[in-house]
Amino acid sequence: MSNRIELPVSLNYVTYWNVANAARELYANALDGANGDKSRVNVHYDEDTGCLVIKNEAAQKMPISALVLGASNKESDAIGQFGEGLKLAYTVLLRCGRKIVTQNFDEVWTVEAQPSETYGTEVVTVEIS
């Protein structure tokens, strides 16, 4: 069974970000999920496929609320307290033509740009299966 979630985020948002900014944000999120333990976060780039894999070995499943802009379980003075980074990273990578798949324990989050009937424009969507 799958669930398709539309995020009301235009691909035109944060045009000053690039792939490096998005990758940095995803790495920072993986590091946060590992409670800052760099030994539990692996980064691998496969030149043949052009695939960047950021893997967090921590035993925490990302809650679906991570897709809500402004939702964060971080303290009010922590970096990332506003809960924007993941959504911004997804937006930028899609705009730059990258394929995004997030393995979240027993779920696969496939992120795509899709036209939205609700919003009348292309938005970020996450298919959870």
Side-chain angles (χ1 to χ4, degrees), residues 6-123:
E6 289 187 348
L7 306 183
V9 179
S10 165
L11 297 187
N12 297 322
Y13 193 49
V14 293
T15 56
Y16 53 92
W17 271 36
N18 58 28
V19 171
N21 297 109
R24 179 199 66 226
E25 185 60 42
L26 294 175
Y27 175 76
N29 284 355
L31 195 57
D32 287 346
N35 296 317
D37 184 352
K38 291 180 183 177
S39 70
R40 299 186 77 187
V41 177
N42 299 306
V43 179
H44 174 72
Y45 179 73
D46 185 325
E47 289 187 34
D48 293 334
T49 64
C51 184
L52 175 66
V53 176
I54 301 171
K55 188 173 183 180
N56 172 346
E57 300 289 343
Q60 293 181 13
K61 184 174 181 175
M62 194 165 38
I64 197 164
S65 64
L67 297 174
V68 176
L69 193 61
S72 177
N73 59 4
K74 297 178 185 173
E75 296 180 20
S76 63
D77 61 346
I79 294 173
Q81 66 178 326
F82 300 111
E84 299 171 317
L86 178 68
K87 284 69 73 181
L88 298 183
Y90 282 171
T91 301
V92 170
L93 292 171
L94 289 173
R95 183 175 61 240
C96 293
R98 300 309 199 268
K99 181 179 177 184
I100 308 164
V101 177
T102 301
Q103 180 71 47
N104 189 21
F105 282 77
D106 60 339
E107 297 175 341
V108 176
W109 294 10
T110 304
V111 185
E112 297 179 326
Q114 297 284 329
S116 169
E117 290 183 21
T118 302
Y119 300 111
T121 190
E122 190 173 50
V123 297

